[in-house]
Amino acid sequence: MRVALALIAAVGIAAGGCGEERGQATRTVPEPVGPVPTTDPRAVAVASVSLLEYVLRAERSRVPRAGLIAFEATNDGTVRHGLAVDAPAGRVSTRALRPGERATFSMRLPPGRYKWYCPVADHEQRGMVGRLRVAE
Ligand SMILES: [Cu+2]
């Protein structure tokens, strides 16, 4: 009986030690990238863009349909970046995203050409700017 109690006590101590180790490991992990945001399911088109020093890299700079467009921005660079779009109703943008972080937003856009760019510091002047064409 005495042996069993000693074992239980040892397990308890070991478990406690484990928890502390886990806590330390969490602190040494690089900055969390956060949960992957969900894209608006009502969107008629998705415009994805990768944010890098100092370029906006998009698979396509044209979306085939006007309407509710979902924007997906991923910071694939090493400093903070964001995505802004100059829309008819004004500028819409993500906050400044940490490296590895993603964000989405959606808005209604009529056919036309829209400027998209990184609103952080002078990144637009450094080349993080482009045009997105929304077709009829
Ligand atoms: Cu930037």
Side-chain angles (χ1 to χ4, degrees), residues 23-106:
Q24 283 167 357
T26 303
R27 281 193 292 274
T28 59
V29 162
E31 271 193 284
V33 294
V36 175
T38 20
T39 300
D40 195 325
R42 298 166 302 165
V44 298
V46 178
S48 299
V49 65
S50 170
L51 309 165
L52 290 154
E53 296 87 50
Y54 286 92
V55 66
L56 293 187
R57 190 167 292 159
E59 233 170 77
R60 23 177 224 177
S61 57
R62 179 184 179 273
V63 291
R65 286 182 65 189
L68 188 67
I69 311 294
F71 291 85
E72 296 177 346
T74 305
N75 184 352
D76 292 315
T78 59
V79 298
R80 285 180 187 247
H81 294 295
L83 177 67
V85 179
D86 278 348
R91 181 175 101 163
V92 180
S93 76
T94 67
R95 62 192 167 76
L97 305 171
R98 289 167 295 165
E101 209 174 5
R102 275 190 187 195
T104 84
F105 59 86
S106 54

